[in-house]
Amino acid sequence: MSTCPDLVTFGEALVRLSPPEFRRLEQTKTLNVHVGGSELNAAVAATRLGLSSSFVTRLTQNPLGRIVENSARELGVDTSHVVWTNEDRVGTYYIEFGASPRANSVIYDRADSAIARITPSEIDWVAALEGAKLFYTSGITPALSSSAADATLEAIQQAHAAGALVCIDLNYRARLWTQSEAREVMTEIAEQADILFTTEEDTFRVFGIKAPSYEDVAHQLAERFDLRIVAITLRENPSVWRNQWTAIAYETATDIVHRAPTFDIEVVDRVGSGDSFVGGFLYGYMTEGVAKGVRYGVGMSALKQTMPGDLCWATLEEVERVLDGGGLRIVR
Amino acid sequence: MSTCPDLVTFGEALVRLSPPEFRRLEQTKTLNVHVGGSELNAAVAATRLGLSSSFVTRLTQNPLGRIVENSARELGVDTSHVVWTNEDRVGTYYIEFGASPRANSVIYDRADSAIARITPSEIDWVAALEGAKLFYTSGITPALSSSAADATLEAIQQAHAAGALVCIDLNYRARLWTQSEAREVMTEIAEQADILFTTEEDTFRVFGIKAPSYEDVAHQLAERFDLRIVAITLRENPSVWRNQWTAIAYETATDIVHRAPTFDIEVVDRVGSGDSFVGGFLYGYMTEGVAKGVRYGVGMSALKQTMPGDLCWATLEEVERVLDGGGLRIVR
Amino acid sequence: MSTCPDLVTFGEALVRLSPPEFRRLEQTKTLNVHVGGSELNAAVAATRLGLSSSFVTRLTQNPLGRIVENSARELGVDTSHVVWTNEDRVGTYYIEFGASPRANSVIYDRADSAIARITPSEIDWVAALEGAKLFYTSGITPALSSSAADATLEAIQQAHAAGALVCIDLNYRARLWTQSEAREVMTEIAEQADILFTTEEDTFRVFGIKAPSYEDVAHQLAERFDLRIVAITLRENPSVWRNQWTAIAYETATDIVHRAPTFDIEVVDRVGSGDSFVGGFLYGYMTEGVAKGVRYGVGMSALKQTMPGDLCWATLEEVERVLDGGGLRIVR
Amino acid sequence: MSTCPDLVTFGEALVRLSPPEFRRLEQTKTLNVHVGGSELNAAVAATRLGLSSSFVTRLTQNPLGRIVENSARELGVDTSHVVWTNEDRVGTYYIEFGASPRANSVIYDRADSAIARITPSEIDWVAALEGAKLFYTSGITPALSSSAADATLEAIQQAHAAGALVCIDLNYRARLWTQSEAREVMTEIAEQADILFTTEEDTFRVFGIKAPSYEDVAHQLAERFDLRIVAITLRENPSVWRNQWTAIAYETATDIVHRAPTFDIEVVDRVGSGDSFVGGFLYGYMTEGVAKGVRYGVGMSALKQTMPGDLCWATLEEVERVLDGGGLRIVR
Amino acid sequence: MSTCPDLVTFGEALVRLSPPEFRRLEQTKTLNVHVGGSELNAAVAATRLGLSSSFVTRLTQNPLGRIVENSARELGVDTSHVVWTNEDRVGTYYIEFGASPRANSVIYDRADSAIARITPSEIDWVAALEGAKLFYTSGITPALSSSAADATLEAIQQAHAAGALVCIDLNYRARLWTQSEAREVMTEIAEQADILFTTEEDTFRVFGIKAPSYEDVAHQLAERFDLRIVAITLRENPSVWRNQWTAIAYETATDIVHRAPTFDIEVVDRVGSGDSFVGGFLYGYMTEGVAKGVRYGVGMSALKQTMPGDLCWATLEEVERVLDGGGLRIVR
Amino acid sequence: MSTCPDLVTFGEALVRLSPPEFRRLEQTKTLNVHVGGSELNAAVAATRLGLSSSFVTRLTQNPLGRIVENSARELGVDTSHVVWTNEDRVGTYYIEFGASPRANSVIYDRADSAIARITPSEIDWVAALEGAKLFYTSGITPALSSSAADATLEAIQQAHAAGALVCIDLNYRARLWTQSEAREVMTEIAEQADILFTTEEDTFRVFGIKAPSYEDVAHQLAERFDLRIVAITLRENPSVWRNQWTAIAYETATDIVHRAPTFDIEVVDRVGSGDSFVGGFLYGYMTEGVAKGVRYGVGMSALKQTMPGDLCWATLEEVERVLDGGGLRIVR
């Protein structure tokens, strides 16, 4: 493991518990255990494709905390800058998988987690960011608590200082904060960002921006916050099990809107798609620029949705196969 | 638990055994255990939405009998009027879940169950029906045996005597009796009913009624049996995993045919849909009348089909969300 | 369900998550879901044997809260006096099952649960205790928070007022409070108790009482707190999978120490043994007095340890069979 | 498959449903599926060791009936003389696995099965027994119904006519018939038997024979019924999970009591031990006589108890390894 | 089991390991165990419908080898001509089930299996083929090794000598040999075949034949290799979970192209469809000729795709029901 | 992850497949997936306790190879020096868990694995060993193939050159090579070793050394091969589920035989005990010397046997608790 990761991400990863076989939570006698969280998911996706990544968080020193660390390490993400505590708890969440007309449903049990109780200067950012080219966090991290918001701002400043590009996903979570709380903090953060990931809906909820087209939304965001790149993922969900998925990315320097193919997805588990898009985008962007970024982001996140859990276990070869229109025959 | 339930239902509940993962029964080494039966299912649906309900049956005093009682109680249905015996057995059934072109398939092993061997006057109907506003049974109960048919007629008469509305679902089961047997008994029952639930197909098989439209079928039934309300559920199943589902309800007093939205359903388990419709309808009907009844019946039964087992674990809030066109986004 | 339960219990029930097959929590990808908590466990045991019981707690209105209620109802325990809230959370705990020399291991995640945040006068004790003959709570409930301690004291006073015997299990939990905190509160509680359940170890940790024999411990407790009955359970655990289990009960009125047979137990899951002892004792005591109480308590709790989960699914007939020295042949 | 099996067995095989992980039947949401029945179990054991065997029964033509046939075939037992019907049902039974002091517990649901409804002359015994050297049935088959008893007697007569040795296991089942019913029928059967398998307890319950030693019991049986061989299995069960197991066989011709080593068994599933003893005995007896018979019977049935299900999946090599005192090291 | 099977098949059957619930192989902690291989699959399908079949292969004598034999026997396929060895290994393969856009994915671990190491004259073909009317193998068997290719040619010659029709499925496997290797061997084999099963794609890859229509492909094959019948299966897979499936069969003698209905399939597991087509075709062909063959082949293989595993557990009645357009209602 | 691990291990790790619930391999329809191999197991144990470790092997680049790497990383073992290939395969093995008198049973399917086909100079040992204090491999690695033996000798020489102590476990595997083959190679290896781990039995099989006591065996080994330390693990297995376990270590420099407590173990999975002893010993030895080494080795490996899989998931705190005689109470 290089001590100089390409990508450093910062946020919360939770232990996720989900009933199998479309059971309701009330019905189930077993739960599947996964680990996920926007910033871990993005680090995993980037790592699977070839970037080296490090995930920074604060964890309680108990089996649940170790499950989170183990899961990151299993997929090759460095955890050497995780801060450990004997206090607090590891956040958990429950997800039920639905079927039309029953939507998937989430119950968070993440209050007072170790990362929600982080305070600035607990993390040695100079060490954690040494050599990093990219820093990523999402709107979830500052929403966890006001001290977490402070720690997020500290991280972003340190990332700039370390010469890393600051990448942000709006990821608005209504159960964590109000739209006005989000607007205040995310405005401050977006102003320091280089690359912004979002959806049309989050843009409206957080910044009140609504426009006739995705491209317009991207333009407005780029302009308002002086961003290098704005990437927007687009989902159509005519049913729970079948979605269409694509993304665009607007690059300010060239004033080009880059597009990716639209995938018709048989959805096994859509959680973490946006995060896998981030990871795939950053890999593509770092290797060949925005055009590749948006394509690899969409390919990676399309594959994510076909496998259970928040993390994307696809390989570079598989992403390239679906982007090349590789068919659905069994190779044998 | 109030001693005066809004709804009393009477019939058989079986232990249901089903292979996971679309396995054939011949292939499987494990079976999932559920409990179901039309009258229990309806009581559960009504209870989940807010009516108080009591399920009356006859059960063998052994772990299988207790599984049935436990399952009813778990979902809040009163079982204090269940008759227990040390004789007979608890009915079971096996269901295989298919995929087009393989239909779901059921094997009943319910002969000689405790409820099939019930005889009139075993149940203290005066106590069981005290304060009840609704009584519900289906065409399955009298089909179990001739003594069960006698007991069903006794129950209906007692329900009338207790001032409860008598609600009947035709629920024709070809494996339990012939169409002519069904016609004879169900005619006698329908003549004493206030509300009739059925499908176009059952109406034809039991009463020989066929008409150019669902509305006509409802009209003819209402007229022939002097019914207050006739509700008909409608299913289109272009494939096993994808169905369309709705219902209508004709109200004699107003001569209005009430309709509900049609749901496009990704089918996890369609067993018990009609029963959840009954439960949802009765809740809606008791709170605001037929128009609400048909809507809540369809909403409840649409959700039922997205979860495994015969019982519907949806909540009032969830039913209202799908009826309000709540989308398929994950709320978080 | 009678509106006048024989037994009312008050406390916390948690959703319990445990890895199968002796896996460590760190290793597992699935968790089994159970529900348990001292006061629920005791109510279930009493109900299985024939007392009517009601469990009073405070629960968050979400699927996890409903899992707790459903589980109580499934086993016949009345939940109509549960207080529901949209705030707070449902406590959870994780348990790993060990093998010698690895002890079972528990991780609590119960802070800030709905019941921990209860305050006096939230529960309508007059209604909840109407007609009750017994009231039971354990040292866990007041340990949850100081407002829970106040609520516990309120409950005890109301129980006295309602004419119920007050039954307490010391149940010291070092992770919830210190020994001195426990001593202060539990002294106040014990002084109001009629029947005290405990172990030699808890008696020492909470009250500092140590004596050459179990009988002496019981005597001292009875005297110090002016108790009617003191029951002490006794476990020898030469290994994790094999324990010896029995109990004694000292009755002040007769000055007799009642004993029960010692069971050699192949331990499947020892959690909740003490609580099943309480339930079995109270059933025996209410039907025939202390001698039967201690025997049925030990029989019930011995059986508890042979089945997974905190709750005891044994029947009266099974308890009597093991007390009668019924052998280990398969009956067929 | 040879058309001339060494061994023909006749009786009922049931679909067996058992909860995993020591769960009670009332608790479980999944059941493991096995197939078993004394005469099938014995045929399987003999086949695993090298005899060719055929299992004769009557089965309902549905997936459950096919599960029984498939299971026999999977283990190499011929099923070409099974009689198929579209009527009746396939018997099932439920078994809970216990732990001291909770014994294993069985619930039969086998009434009115296809084999219970068999009548004489339904089976073409001339064809089924062609070339057979051994015929085996147990006291369960005639206990199923009086027509099954008639069919059993017919089978035994035909076996004699075909030149096969008639082998009988008393296998008294109190849930199927009374001791006096059993005595009448089993006396008639034993009088026609060549080899009798039993336990001390069954001998007492069916024939009222009690003697100071196992050897005496065997002597008395051999004398009363003019038997060639009497084999008695012996179990000590100080706990559910740990038993001692051995057997003796008395050979009339030589007046020798043959013994086998006693095995200390860690019991996974003791069901079918006696039947595996029969199969192992018959293999040993046919290849080298009674001394080998009793040894291989005990070796095979000791191994049976270490694996789940009624059937013994051990191999000849494994039986010889345990009889040779092969240790418990992992071979690798 | 007749000693004269209608159908003898020859090839490899593997132990197949697949993750449940759409998990990636990298993610899974459990694997489902199935058995499959083109020639076993075909024998099973034919046997389920009513032909007697025998599967010939070479297996290592260990539990894995026995799993293969047991699986064949369980479904009624004779295994008495399997050659057993203590050397070599049993081939395995892993399959991941995907969802659009992720295709199913296979990893073979079959090198150096016992059947790959077979040499001519190891099998007693005279005995194995006695009375056989049909012999079937696929292009996989000769691809396993050059000695396996020799053994395949020997088998084909012996089949001709025994008077059996020689039936071949091209089944090109790119991971086993190159197209030019396949072309050389399969040309020699096809020239000796009576009935050829293939797909358009395999025909092109192996023989370089491409034509404007399926019918043309069949014509060209029939002519080039002097075949009696050429059957081509046709799949459209717009998504992983939803396929269209049909087939045609060209009969040289009548110059007729027989067609079957096209099935819209909800795909549970498409592996083994072509093989089930072969089995269904041969059953239909032997009972009523090519027209029935193609219909029953398609019906059988359509049903195959709705159940997990390589083998088809459908019954004749079920095939006829789907061919008769039996709907998707639950029969009850 | 430090680039200078304390411990470098070299060998094979396999994907392990095991039936749950004591099922035979022939019976099971599911397999549990674990990863194990002596040298990986030892690295994991050392890492869990606090040493940094790196595992060096050669793996095929496919999901199975990645499972091995992921598993190592999950537990914190560095894999950056693994050599990847597109050829060969990943070794697998099957293990059945027994019960007395049925021993556990292993089937290896590891021939021609990527590591068996390794040749010298494929690994950059200078980089891999930089800064390492300890190098560990076992007698399994050279047994894989003669090129693997060469590569092992190369590794040992490089380890010496890098200044690491060379630690060897004899680990004789009769299925991989003969005793005389082992003797030749292991003699050469032992002569270069600093620390030797073994059992009495392996010492006899490989070196023909037999002595009246363990201490003598250790002495003789130390003398013959000029070793710093000889550690011998000692197992008594009166039954499969219950073993006694301890170890001694002879230190040449002090001529002291260090002992550890004997643990009475309820065995969940004894595979990998010796390897966990190695890891625990090395941790203890590096921190405080041989006396601590043997104690921590025994504590770690005793705990290993209580958890499923080859790897030990215990923590330093848990090891110290069992060494301190921490009881079997649940801490809560």
Side-chain angles (χ1 to χ4, degrees), chain A residues 21-24 97-102, chain B residues 265-269 301-308:
Chain A
E21 302 177 335
F22 298 102
R23 284 186 217 142
R24 307 297 317 259
F97 290 98
S100 300
R102 176 165 69 89
Chain B
I265 295 175
E266 291 171 326
V267 182
V268 170
D269 182 340
S301 52
L303 286 168
K304 160 65 217 45
Q305 302 179 55
T306 68
M307 50 193 83

Side-chain angles (χ1 to χ4, degrees), chain D residues 207-259:
Chain D
F207 295 130
I209 293 175
K210 199 150 202 171
S213 73
Y214 296 109
E215 293 79 358
D216 285 350
V217 171
H219 269 278
Q220 288 189 33
L221 283 168
E223 199 168 315
R224 188 192 296 185
F225 298 111
D226 191 22
L227 296 160
R228 265 190 215 206
I229 301 164
V230 175
I232 299 182
T233 54
L234 314 167
R235 180 187 301 279
E236 299 287 326
N237 55 348
S239 83
V240 175
W241 295 349
R242 192 113 197 191
N243 287 188
Q244 282 80 46
W245 174 256
T246 190
I248 61 160
Y250 171 69
E251 186 177 22
T252 306
T254 59
D255 195 30
I256 293 176
V257 174
H258 298 272
R259 294 165 204 286

Side-chain angles (χ1 to χ4, degrees), chain D residues 12 18 27 30 37 59 65 77 175 180 202 230 242 244 247 262 280 287 298 325 329:
Chain D
E12 177 164 36
S18 55
Q27 289 187 287
T30 56
L59 285 172
V77 174
R175 295 193 179 167
S180 66
D202 277 358
V230 175
R242 192 113 197 191
Q244 282 80 46
T262 297
T287 51
V298 169
R329 293 186 68 254

Side-chain angles (χ1 to χ4, degrees), chain B residues 18-20 23 28-32, chain D residues 30-33, chain F residues 23:
Chain B
S18 55
R23 286 186 216 141
T28 199
K29 298 299 173 190
T30 55
L31 290 165
N32 290 329
Chain D
T30 56
L31 290 165
N32 289 329
V33 181
Chain F
R23 285 186 216 140

Side-chain angles (χ1 to χ4, degrees), chain B residues 1 26 57 83 125 144 169 175 180 233 259 290 307:
Chain B
M1 175 59 62
E26 268 191 81
T57 190
V83 174
W125 283 116
L144 296 173
D169 188 329
R175 297 194 178 165
S180 65
T233 55
R259 293 163 206 287
V290 179
M307 50 193 83

Side-chain angles (χ1 to χ4, degrees), chain B residues 108-131:
Chain B
Y108 284 120
D109 188 7
R110 69 198 296 177
D112 301 321
S113 66
I115 178 65
R117 295 206 167 159
I118 198 169
T119 52
S121 79
E122 282 191 69
I123 292 161
D124 180 351
W125 283 116
V126 172
L129 288 161
E130 187 190 342

Side-chain angles (χ1 to χ4, degrees), chain D residues 292-311:
Chain D
K292 183 174 173 186
V294 71
R295 278 171 54 81
Y296 279 61
V298 169
M300 191 68 177
S301 51
L303 286 168
K304 161 66 220 37
Q305 301 178 57
T306 69
M307 50 193 82
D310 296 31
L311 307 178

